[in-house]
Amino acid sequence: MKNKYSYVGISFIILIFGIWAVPKIVEKFQKSDLVTIGRVPEFKLTDQNNKVITDKDYLGKVYVVEFFFSTCPSICPKMNQNMLLLQQEFYGNPKFGIASITINPEYDTPKVLKEHAELLGVKHYNWHFLTGDREYIYNLAKKGFNLYAGADKTAPGGFEHSGLFALVDKEGNVRSRRDKYGNPIAFYDGLDDNGVKDIKEDIKKLLEE
């Protein structure tokens, strides 16, 4: 009888361990809890090195997208500084990238963008400053990413845009976390320290997928 009860006890311990361990093992191999917002729009633009860059060049990489312009006197410097923090966090990781797309392409030529990148201290080889046709870029921002961008004579610098960052996974899907109410935030606040902290955490999650 003693052996019988011993076996029962051992079986019970194994059962309890299994109930605890299996979800942990499954969780380890599951994808992150980040929400898929939609497919990243196709794009074809020219970077600061006069190289044509498309959305296909970012496949296999986790990357962040911003819309900015080099002469912006208001929010862009803060956005660029926060992108530099992301560069610092993921420097040397070939699976990470950044796409900084200008909304003033007439002025922001590849030459100007290269000078701007050098001034900022851009070192990551997957950080592309992109330019192209103005209307093409505005459609890409507003219809492709659902991020507003446009000319506005009343706005500082003559252009208006958001300070939001879009996060894209290795498969080309725009992803985001949920807010405290369970709703997708869609984009990350590129002007806020907490927004930068959140996107750092979520980039790490996507790099592990």
Side-chain angles (χ1 to χ4, degrees), residues 69 117 137:
F69 59 108
I137 289 173

Side-chain angles (χ1 to χ4, degrees), residues 58-165:
Y58 284 100
L59 286 175
K61 301 176 182 66
V62 177
Y63 66 105
V64 182
V65 179
E66 68 169 346
F67 289 87
F68 85 112
F69 59 108
S70 68
T71 56
C72 174
S74 55
I75 65 175
C76 296
K78 178 66 173 175
M79 294 170 68
N80 285 166
Q81 287 302 312
N82 284 334
M83 283 295 192
L84 286 170
L85 293 178
L86 298 183
Q87 172 185 251
Q88 181 180 348
E89 184 75 20
F90 301 102
Y91 185 72
N93 190 328
K95 297 299 183 181
F96 173 72
I98 299 174
S100 295
I101 304 173
T102 180
I103 60 172
N104 184 16
E106 286 87 355
Y107 179 82
D108 286 338
T109 62
K111 180 177 182 295
V112 169
L113 291 177
K114 189 174 183 65
E115 292 171 353
H116 183 70
E118 290 173 351
L119 183 64
L120 286 175
V122 172
K123 296 178 181 179
H124 201 294
Y125 38 83
N126 287 332
W127 188 346
H128 300 281
F129 286 78
L130 301 168
T131 188
D133 176 76
R134 179 193 282 205
E135 289 307 313
Y136 179 89
I137 289 173
Y138 288 177
N139 282 330
L140 179 64
K142 292 184 282 189
K143 296 180 181 179
F145 283 96
N146 291 315
L147 291 171
Y148 181 78
D152 184 348
K153 293 180 180 179
T154 66
F159 297 89
E160 187 177 359
H161 63 106
S162 77
L164 299 176
F165 293 165

Side-chain angles (χ1 to χ4, degrees), residues 1 30 32 56 103 124 132 159 168:
M1 293 296 291
Q30 280 181 336
S32 71
K56 304 297 186 296
I103 60 172
H124 201 294
F159 297 89
V168 186

